[in-house]
mmCIF file of all heavy atoms in Angstrom:
data_model
loop_
_atom_site.group_PDB
_atom_site.id
_atom_site.type_symbol
_atom_site.label_atom_id
_atom_site.label_comp_id
_atom_site.label_asym_id
_atom_site.label_seq_id
_atom_site.Cartn_x
_atom_site.Cartn_y
_atom_site.Cartn_z
ATOM 1 N N ASP A 218 -33.847 -16.715 12.762
ATOM 2 C CA ASP A 218 -35.232 -17.164 12.920
ATOM 3 C C ASP A 218 -35.822 -16.655 14.228
ATOM 4 O O ASP A 218 -36.973 -16.192 14.279
ATOM 5 C CB ASP A 218 -35.299 -18.692 12.900
ATOM 6 C CG ASP A 218 -35.071 -19.287 11.514
ATOM 7 O OD1 ASP A 218 -35.027 -18.531 10.527
ATOM 8 O OD2 ASP A 218 -34.911 -20.524 11.435
ATOM 9 N N SER A 219 -35.056 -16.757 15.314
ATOM 10 C CA SER A 219 -35.551 -16.330 16.622
ATOM 11 C C SER A 219 -35.798 -14.827 16.642
ATOM 12 O O SER A 219 -36.834 -14.367 17.140
ATOM 13 C CB SER A 219 -34.548 -16.714 17.717
ATOM 14 O OG SER A 219 -35.001 -16.290 18.985
ATOM 15 N N PHE A 220 -34.858 -14.058 16.102
ATOM 16 C CA PHE A 220 -35.024 -12.604 16.077
ATOM 17 C C PHE A 220 -36.231 -12.206 15.246
ATOM 18 O O PHE A 220 -36.992 -11.306 15.613
ATOM 19 C CB PHE A 220 -33.769 -11.947 15.503
ATOM 20 C CG PHE A 220 -32.604 -11.849 16.470
ATOM 21 C CD1 PHE A 220 -31.344 -11.501 16.007
ATOM 22 C CD2 PHE A 220 -32.764 -12.066 17.821
ATOM 23 C CE1 PHE A 220 -30.271 -11.386 16.874
ATOM 24 C CE2 PHE A 220 -31.692 -11.959 18.704
ATOM 25 C CZ PHE A 220 -30.443 -11.613 18.224
ATOM 26 N N ASN A 221 -36.419 -12.854 14.093
ATOM 27 C CA ASN A 221 -37.557 -12.516 13.246
ATOM 28 C C ASN A 221 -38.878 -12.872 13.922
ATOM 29 O O ASN A 221 -39.816 -12.063 13.947
ATOM 30 C CB ASN A 221 -37.431 -13.227 11.904
ATOM 31 C CG ASN A 221 -38.686 -13.079 11.055
ATOM 32 O OD1 ASN A 221 -39.444 -14.029 10.889
ATOM 33 N ND2 ASN A 221 -38.932 -11.876 10.553
ATOM 34 N N ALA A 222 -38.956 -14.075 14.487
ATOM 35 C CA ALA A 222 -40.187 -14.504 15.135
ATOM 36 C C ALA A 222 -40.524 -13.633 16.341
ATOM 37 O O ALA A 222 -41.698 -13.487 16.697
ATOM 38 C CB ALA A 222 -40.081 -15.967 15.560
ATOM 39 N N ALA A 223 -39.498 -13.049 16.968
ATOM 40 C CA ALA A 223 -39.721 -12.203 18.139
ATOM 41 C C ALA A 223 -40.226 -10.816 17.769
ATOM 42 O O ALA A 223 -40.619 -10.050 18.644
ATOM 43 C CB ALA A 223 -38.436 -12.073 18.949
ATOM 44 N N GLY A 224 -40.185 -10.471 16.471
ATOM 45 C CA GLY A 224 -40.735 -9.189 16.052
ATOM 46 C C GLY A 224 -39.720 -8.090 15.846
ATOM 47 O O GLY A 224 -40.095 -6.907 15.806
ATOM 48 N N ASN A 225 -38.445 -8.439 15.681
ATOM 49 C CA ASN A 225 -37.428 -7.416 15.407
ATOM 50 C C ASN A 225 -37.513 -6.987 13.942
ATOM 51 O O ASN A 225 -37.379 -7.810 13.037
ATOM 52 C CB ASN A 225 -36.033 -7.968 15.713
ATOM 53 C CG ASN A 225 -35.809 -8.190 17.188
ATOM 54 O OD1 ASN A 225 -35.596 -7.249 17.944
ATOM 55 N ND2 ASN A 225 -35.889 -9.447 17.613
ATOM 56 N N GLU A 226 -37.718 -5.700 13.733
ATOM 57 C CA GLU A 226 -37.811 -5.201 12.355
ATOM 58 C C GLU A 226 -36.458 -5.166 11.652
ATOM 59 O O GLU A 226 -36.395 -5.182 10.417
ATOM 60 C CB GLU A 226 -38.407 -3.788 12.331
ATOM 61 C CG GLU A 226 -39.861 -3.716 12.733
ATOM 62 C CD GLU A 226 -40.052 -3.389 14.207
ATOM 63 O OE1 GLU A 226 -39.086 -3.513 14.987
ATOM 64 O OE2 GLU A 226 -41.182 -3.007 14.578
ATOM 65 N N LEU A 227 -35.375 -5.117 12.423
ATOM 66 C CA LEU A 227 -34.031 -5.020 11.850
ATOM 67 C C LEU A 227 -33.114 -5.974 12.591
ATOM 68 O O LEU A 227 -33.188 -6.085 13.826
ATOM 69 C CB LEU A 227 -33.511 -3.587 11.972
ATOM 70 C CG LEU A 227 -32.097 -3.287 11.474
ATOM 71 C CD1 LEU A 227 -31.971 -3.533 9.977
ATOM 72 C CD2 LEU A 227 -31.708 -1.838 11.806
ATOM 73 N N ILE A 228 -32.255 -6.675 11.853
ATOM 74 C CA ILE A 228 -31.266 -7.592 12.421
ATOM 75 C C ILE A 228 -29.900 -7.204 11.864
ATOM 76 O O ILE A 228 -29.759 -7.013 10.646
ATOM 77 C CB ILE A 228 -31.571 -9.058 12.073
ATOM 78 C CG1 ILE A 228 -32.976 -9.439 12.535
ATOM 79 C CG2 ILE A 228 -30.535 -9.989 12.696
ATOM 80 C CD1 ILE A 228 -33.438 -10.803 12.017
ATOM 81 N N LEU A 229 -28.906 -7.105 12.733
ATOM 82 C CA LEU A 229 -27.551 -6.736 12.322
ATOM 83 C C LEU A 229 -26.579 -7.824 12.753
ATOM 84 O O LEU A 229 -26.624 -8.309 13.886
ATOM 85 C CB LEU A 229 -27.136 -5.399 12.941
ATOM 86 C CG LEU A 229 -28.022 -4.196 12.611
ATOM 87 C CD1 LEU A 229 -27.524 -2.960 13.344
ATOM 88 C CD2 LEU A 229 -28.058 -3.938 11.117
ATOM 89 N N ALA A 230 -25.669 -8.206 11.845
ATOM 90 C CA ALA A 230 -24.681 -9.242 12.129
ATOM 91 C C ALA A 230 -23.441 -8.992 11.278
ATOM 92 O O ALA A 230 -23.420 -8.127 10.389
ATOM 93 C CB ALA A 230 -25.253 -10.636 11.844
ATOM 94 N N GLY A 231 -22.410 -9.769 11.537
ATOM 95 C CA GLY A 231 -21.160 -9.675 10.773
ATOM 96 C C GLY A 231 -20.629 -11.070 10.488
ATOM 97 O O GLY A 231 -21.305 -11.914 9.933
ATOM 98 N N HIS A 232 -19.365 -11.303 10.857
ATOM 99 C CA HIS A 232 -18.741 -12.627 10.878
ATOM 100 C C HIS A 232 -18.317 -13.178 9.524
ATOM 101 O O HIS A 232 -17.259 -13.793 9.390
ATOM 102 C CB HIS A 232 -19.682 -13.626 11.567
ATOM 103 C CG HIS A 232 -19.213 -15.039 11.551
ATOM 104 N ND1 HIS A 232 -18.145 -15.470 12.314
ATOM 105 C CD2 HIS A 232 -19.648 -16.137 10.864
ATOM 106 C CE1 HIS A 232 -17.957 -16.772 12.101
ATOM 107 N NE2 HIS A 232 -18.854 -17.188 11.220
ATOM 108 N N THR A 233 -19.110 -13.001 8.488
ATOM 109 C CA THR A 233 -18.869 -13.684 7.220
ATOM 110 C C THR A 233 -17.685 -13.127 6.446
ATOM 111 O O THR A 233 -17.164 -13.794 5.554
ATOM 112 C CB THR A 233 -20.102 -13.575 6.310
ATOM 113 O OG1 THR A 233 -20.302 -12.188 5.979
ATOM 114 C CG2 THR A 233 -21.345 -14.121 6.995
ATOM 115 N N HIS A 234 -17.274 -11.886 6.739
ATOM 116 C CA HIS A 234 -16.281 -11.164 5.936
ATOM 117 C C HIS A 234 -16.746 -11.043 4.478
ATOM 118 O O HIS A 234 -15.939 -10.844 3.576
ATOM 119 C CB HIS A 234 -14.909 -11.840 5.977
ATOM 120 C CG HIS A 234 -14.268 -11.838 7.311
ATOM 121 N ND1 HIS A 234 -12.952 -12.179 7.531
ATOM 122 C CD2 HIS A 234 -14.762 -11.541 8.555
ATOM 123 C CE1 HIS A 234 -12.657 -12.102 8.811
ATOM 124 N NE2 HIS A 234 -13.752 -11.714 9.451
ATOM 125 N N GLY A 235 -18.048 -11.186 4.255
ATOM 126 C CA GLY A 235 -18.554 -11.159 2.891
ATOM 127 C C GLY A 235 -18.020 -12.288 2.048
ATOM 128 O O GLY A 235 -18.035 -12.224 0.822
ATOM 129 N N GLY A 236 -17.569 -13.350 2.716
ATOM 130 C CA GLY A 236 -16.891 -14.438 2.036
ATOM 131 C C GLY A 236 -15.388 -14.235 1.975
ATOM 132 O O GLY A 236 -14.634 -15.176 1.750
ATOM 133 N N GLN A 237 -14.963 -12.969 2.135
ATOM 134 C CA GLN A 237 -13.551 -12.541 2.084
ATOM 135 C C GLN A 237 -12.974 -12.662 0.674
ATOM 136 O O GLN A 237 -12.278 -11.774 0.211
ATOM 137 C CB GLN A 237 -12.690 -13.311 3.086
ATOM 138 C CG GLN A 237 -11.321 -12.668 3.305
ATOM 139 C CD GLN A 237 -10.644 -13.147 4.577
ATOM 140 O OE1 GLN A 237 -11.295 -13.408 5.591
ATOM 141 N NE2 GLN A 237 -9.326 -13.262 4.545
ATOM 142 N N LEU A 238 -13.273 -13.745 -0.003
ATOM 143 C CA LEU A 238 -12.894 -13.921 -1.404
ATOM 144 C C LEU A 238 -14.176 -14.059 -2.210
ATOM 145 O O LEU A 238 -14.920 -15.019 -2.027
ATOM 146 C CB LEU A 238 -12.030 -15.169 -1.592
ATOM 147 C CG LEU A 238 -10.774 -15.269 -0.713
ATOM 148 C CD1 LEU A 238 -10.104 -16.621 -0.916
ATOM 149 C CD2 LEU A 238 -9.810 -14.138 -1.020
ATOM 150 N N GLN A 239 -14.441 -13.074 -3.066
ATOM 151 C CA GLN A 239 -15.623 -13.136 -3.904
ATOM 152 C C GLN A 239 -15.211 -13.263 -5.371
ATOM 153 O O GLN A 239 -14.219 -12.670 -5.790
ATOM 154 C CB GLN A 239 -16.494 -11.894 -3.728
ATOM 155 C CG GLN A 239 -17.173 -11.798 -2.370
ATOM 156 C CD GLN A 239 -18.349 -10.836 -2.380
ATOM 157 O OE1 GLN A 239 -18.764 -10.339 -3.421
ATOM 158 N NE2 GLN A 239 -18.899 -10.566 -1.196
ATOM 159 N N VAL A 240 -15.964 -14.022 -6.102
ATOM 160 C CA VAL A 240 -15.736 -14.175 -7.536
ATOM 161 C C VAL A 240 -16.740 -13.290 -8.255
ATOM 162 O O VAL A 240 -17.952 -13.452 -8.064
ATOM 163 C CB VAL A 240 -15.912 -15.644 -7.967
ATOM 164 C CG1 VAL A 240 -15.768 -15.772 -9.487
ATOM 165 C CG2 VAL A 240 -14.906 -16.527 -7.247
ATOM 166 N N PRO A 241 -16.266 -12.336 -9.069
ATOM 167 C CA PRO A 241 -17.210 -11.475 -9.790
ATOM 168 C C PRO A 241 -18.221 -12.304 -10.584
ATOM 169 O O PRO A 241 -17.870 -13.232 -11.306
ATOM 170 C CB PRO A 241 -16.290 -10.665 -10.715
ATOM 171 C CG PRO A 241 -14.984 -10.609 -9.979
ATOM 172 C CD PRO A 241 -14.860 -11.960 -9.313
ATOM 173 N N GLY A 242 -19.500 -11.955 -10.422
ATOM 174 C CA GLY A 242 -20.557 -12.689 -11.096
ATOM 175 C C GLY A 242 -21.042 -13.913 -10.351
ATOM 176 O O GLY A 242 -22.091 -14.479 -10.696
ATOM 177 N N PHE A 243 -20.302 -14.337 -9.336
ATOM 178 C CA PHE A 243 -20.682 -15.507 -8.542
ATOM 179 C C PHE A 243 -20.905 -15.133 -7.085
ATOM 180 O O PHE A 243 -21.815 -15.621 -6.437
ATOM 181 C CB PHE A 243 -19.607 -16.585 -8.655
ATOM 182 C CG PHE A 243 -19.912 -17.840 -7.885
ATOM 183 C CD1 PHE A 243 -20.772 -18.796 -8.402
ATOM 184 C CD2 PHE A 243 -19.339 -18.071 -6.633
ATOM 185 C CE1 PHE A 243 -21.066 -19.958 -7.692
ATOM 186 C CE2 PHE A 243 -19.622 -19.230 -5.904
ATOM 187 C CZ PHE A 243 -20.487 -20.171 -6.453
ATOM 188 N N GLY A 244 -20.068 -14.246 -6.563
ATOM 189 C CA GLY A 244 -20.210 -13.808 -5.188
ATOM 190 C C GLY A 244 -19.313 -14.566 -4.233
ATOM 191 O O GLY A 244 -18.266 -15.103 -4.621
ATOM 192 N N ALA A 245 -19.731 -14.617 -2.985
ATOM 193 C CA ALA A 245 -18.934 -15.248 -1.936
ATOM 194 C C ALA A 245 -18.807 -16.745 -2.182
ATOM 195 O O ALA A 245 -19.755 -17.403 -2.617
ATOM 196 C CB ALA A 245 -19.578 -14.998 -0.574
ATOM 197 N N LEU A 246 -17.623 -17.268 -1.877
ATOM 198 C CA LEU A 246 -17.408 -18.708 -1.987
ATOM 199 C C LEU A 246 -17.975 -19.442 -0.778
ATOM 200 O O LEU A 246 -18.521 -20.538 -0.910
ATOM 201 C CB LEU A 246 -15.920 -19.005 -2.128
ATOM 202 C CG LEU A 246 -15.228 -18.414 -3.361
ATOM 203 C CD1 LEU A 246 -13.735 -18.718 -3.327
ATOM 204 C CD2 LEU A 246 -15.852 -18.962 -4.636
ATOM 205 N N VAL A 247 -17.820 -18.846 0.397
ATOM 206 C CA VAL A 247 -18.306 -19.445 1.636
ATOM 207 C C VAL A 247 -18.847 -18.339 2.531
ATOM 208 O O VAL A 247 -18.609 -17.155 2.295
ATOM 209 C CB VAL A 247 -17.181 -20.203 2.394
ATOM 210 C CG1 VAL A 247 -16.675 -21.380 1.582
ATOM 211 C CG2 VAL A 247 -16.030 -19.266 2.741
ATOM 212 N N THR A 248 -19.560 -18.728 3.588
ATOM 213 C CA THR A 248 -20.065 -17.746 4.552
ATOM 214 C C THR A 248 -19.562 -18.006 5.964
ATOM 215 O O THR A 248 -19.792 -17.204 6.853
ATOM 216 C CB THR A 248 -21.607 -17.757 4.582
ATOM 217 O OG1 THR A 248 -22.074 -19.014 5.070
ATOM 218 C CG2 THR A 248 -22.177 -17.492 3.203
ATOM 219 N N ASN A 249 -18.904 -19.138 6.187
ATOM 220 C CA ASN A 249 -18.377 -19.493 7.501
ATOM 221 C C ASN A 249 -19.478 -19.704 8.537
ATOM 222 O O ASN A 249 -19.252 -19.606 9.732
ATOM 223 C CB ASN A 249 -17.379 -18.438 7.989
ATOM 224 C CG ASN A 249 -16.388 -18.981 9.007
ATOM 225 O OD1 ASN A 249 -16.234 -20.191 9.154
ATOM 226 N ND2 ASN A 249 -15.721 -18.088 9.699
ATOM 227 N N CYS A 250 -20.706 -19.932 8.055
ATOM 228 C CA CYS A 250 -21.833 -20.296 8.911
ATOM 229 C C CYS A 250 -22.907 -20.842 7.981
ATOM 230 O O CYS A 250 -22.638 -21.105 6.804
ATOM 231 C CB CYS A 250 -22.332 -19.112 9.740
ATOM 232 S SG CYS A 250 -22.997 -17.734 8.783
ATOM 233 N N ASP A 251 -24.133 -21.025 8.479
ATOM 234 C CA ASP A 251 -25.131 -21.685 7.646
ATOM 235 C C ASP A 251 -26.039 -20.732 6.881
ATOM 236 O O ASP A 251 -27.021 -21.178 6.267
ATOM 237 C CB ASP A 251 -25.968 -22.661 8.483
ATOM 238 C CG ASP A 251 -26.750 -21.987 9.608
ATOM 239 O OD1 ASP A 251 -26.607 -20.757 9.788
ATOM 240 O OD2 ASP A 251 -27.485 -22.693 10.316
ATOM 241 N N ILE A 252 -25.741 -19.432 6.855
ATOM 242 C CA ILE A 252 -26.493 -18.533 6.002
ATOM 243 C C ILE A 252 -26.066 -18.765 4.554
ATOM 244 O O ILE A 252 -24.933 -19.180 4.279
ATOM 245 C CB ILE A 252 -26.284 -17.053 6.417
ATOM 246 C CG1 ILE A 252 -27.351 -16.165 5.777
ATOM 247 C CG2 ILE A 252 -24.881 -16.569 6.048
ATOM 248 C CD1 ILE A 252 -27.334 -14.739 6.286
ATOM 249 N N ASP A 253 -26.973 -18.523 3.622
ATOM 250 C CA ASP A 253 -26.676 -18.758 2.210
ATOM 251 C C ASP A 253 -25.702 -17.713 1.677
ATOM 252 O O ASP A 253 -25.592 -16.601 2.191
ATOM 253 C CB ASP A 253 -27.977 -18.723 1.398
ATOM 254 C CG ASP A 253 -28.812 -17.473 1.703
ATOM 255 O OD1 ASP A 253 -29.421 -17.439 2.799
ATOM 256 O OD2 ASP A 253 -28.828 -16.549 0.883
#
Side-chain angles (χ1 to χ4, degrees):
D218 287 351
S219 179
F220 282 168
N221 172 253
N225 291 284
E226 292 95 344
L227 178 63
I228 304 170
L229 301 177
H232 175 71
T233 64
H234 295 192
Q237 194 162 325
L238 306 174
Q239 291 199 8
V240 176
F243 181 80
L246 299 177
V247 296
T248 65
N249 204 16
C250 63
D251 61 357
I252 195 172
D253 50 286

